[in-house]
Amino acid sequence: MQTILMLALLAAVIASAISVVWARHESRVLFVNLTALQNQRDDMNIEYGKLELEQATFAEPRRIDEEARQQLGMVDPRPQDIRLLRR
């Protein structure tokens, strides 16, 4: 009877040890995934900051005016071309 009890306890200890090793392995895998995702998040935050800066640069009134004149050939209207409309 004692032998069976000792074998059962040995099996429980071995199962417990395997469970600990498995849990540590899973923990390490999850940590590596977490680190990769954090790095990806940081890269995206940097890219987002660059895009915000680029958007702010393109949205400047001076830049819009310059692009309209160069690419679209827009000019200020002459005074004789301006018409006032009244309702």
Side-chain angles (χ1 to χ4, degrees):
M1 187 67 175
Q2 238 181 356
T3 307
I4 294 174
L5 181 62
M6 288 299 261
L7 288 176
L9 288 175
L10 179 64
V13 168
I14 290 174
S16 175
I18 291 173
S19 296
V20 168
V21 170
W22 181 258
R24 281 191 170 179
H25 171 71
E26 285 296 314
S27 174
R28 287 183 181 132
V29 167
L30 291 173
F31 180 75
V32 168
N33 289 340
L34 175 64
T35 303
L37 289 172
Q38 287 173 337
N39 290 337
Q40 184 180 4
R41 179 203 59 203
D42 293 342
D43 291 343
M44 290 177 136
N45 280 336
I46 290 169
E47 180 69 19
Y48 181 71
K50 288 178 183 178
L51 290 173
E52 279 186 321
L53 181 61
E54 183 179 351
Q55 181 185 19
T57 302
F58 285 137
E60 275 185 27
R62 190 187 97 247
R63 172 134 173 123
I64 293 171
D65 182 61
E66 185 179 298
E67 293 293 323
R69 290 178 190 279
Q70 287 179 358
Q71 291 185 5
L72 302 175
M74 299 177 93
V75 295
D76 288 329
R78 299 175 302 186
Q80 62 265 26
D81 294 335
I82 297 175
R83 301 283 187 257
L84 294 177
L85 300 176
R86 297 178 195 249
R87 285 189 171 188

